[in-house]
Amino acid sequence: MKLTKLTKRALATKARCVHHNTLKDGLENSMSLGISRNADCSKGRAFTRAMINLGACALALLAATPSAFADVLPVGVELPLTGSMARAGNAQLEGIKVAADMFNRGNGGGNGGGNGGGNGKHKVALTVIDDEAQPAKAVSAVEKLASQGVLAITGGYGSNSVSPASEAADKAGLVYITSGAVDSAMTSRGLKHFFRIGPASGYSKAVVGQLDAMGVKSVSIVVSTKQAPTDLSNDVSTKLRAQGVTVTVHAFEPTMTDFKPLVNKIRLQDKPEVMLMLGYENDYIGILRAAKVLKPQLKAVMGAWSVVTPKMVSDFPDLVNNVIGCAMLPHPAQFGSAQGKAFVDAYVAAYKKEPDYVAEFAFVQSMLLFNAMARAADAGTLKKDGIAAELRAKPQDTLIGKVSFAANGDNPAFLNNMAQIQGDRIVLVWPKERATGKLNYPALPW
């Protein structure tokens, strides 16, 4: 039987484990058979050699039947676990690990979608690499994972890293699925193996929807010059201006740490009702610190991704109270579905804390991937683009709503929620049908 390089690598890894366990079991059995330290040494050595030979024969037989290991599906995880995006990267990793655990235990009903666990016939094995939030290291991580024989990759955070990393994965013929990149250009590259559950459109609709519900007439946007925040700023600005809202945009370089000059312009010149922050965690912290000192006369402070999270609440309670931003989950987390409750229970059991929406997104994308891999394995199409085909095959009900991948890998049905930090709680406030509480407005962090 001809083996692929991937199968050979997987078999080699398994063979080492099987050889170790076979030899160990043989030695333990030799003790149980009464071969003590005082027994005849030559007989003991002969028996041990026989057990080693038996293990070798077993390995040869297993190598001839790769289907014996068909239930193990190697998956790569590439994330920023250190560096400027470490908070989000570690939250994603936690969600991915919970998804792997639930899938491997067959927890969640095995419906093949984003909520359920596996069907009991397959298990996933994760290989995790830290890309340190650096694009070049993200590419290297993907290339290393490909060389190690993974079948697909889940993870990625920050469009600047995900863009080149997903191109490297596509070149290697590997599915790359993420919730951590919203650059609109990503799905116009013609990649066959790129999938994204949360495109920028879902954030833009949510931000504009919340501002419209508040009746806001003037907004100042403080935006990072990185691609994803800039794209979101352009989209939000266009939609708001079309509605007659006065919009002023202040761009800043990602290296900026002193935001007082920008906030002072907003305070003295713009005098808007709302300040909208579009960037990343460290940017938000710097902007809010400057605003707390200068105290511009606003009615609200808003953000987009990665600002309304339990981690920000616990780490910066003096800065983020009453801040509004995108979040799929309230805190404490609430789910009506059995799968949602199973996710929260598993997460709390593993990490002794409530999950945030970043972990939830990572859980959903990974469960979608694992179940697609299992279906492709059952169909014998794992190495024939079967994973990508299974992801696109039909809509799936998930913890973030229905996910349906278009030909370009995007999920156009995605719509985020808006939430507000209220003390130690996160309350969903938009859209109305998903709200778990009332918006405090006007209300500021200081």
Side-chain angles (χ1 to χ4, degrees), residues 25-26 93 112 192 208 234-235 293 369 396 412:
D25 292 345
L93 180 60
K192 296 179 179 179
V208 173
N234 292 339
D235 194 28
V293 171
L369 175 63
Q396 301 287 353

Side-chain angles (χ1 to χ4, degrees), residues 362-384:
F363 171 85
V364 169
Q365 79 195 33
S366 299
M367 198 64 87
L368 285 165
L369 175 63
F370 301 159
N371 279 293
M373 294 174 73
R375 294 194 300 272
D378 289 343
T381 59
L382 273 175
K383 298 298 290 180
K384 302 175 184 177

Side-chain angles (χ1 to χ4, degrees), residues 210-243:
Q210 179 66 76
L211 289 168
D212 183 57
M214 292 158 59
V216 172
K217 299 301 180 184
S218 58
V219 178
S220 288
I221 300 177
V222 187
V223 56
S224 168
T225 55
K226 285 190 173 182
Q227 191 64 49
T230 298
D231 284 352
L232 183 58
S233 174
N234 292 339
D235 194 28
V236 169
S237 298
T238 299
K239 290 177 179 177
L240 290 177
R241 286 171 179 148
Q243 296 176 3

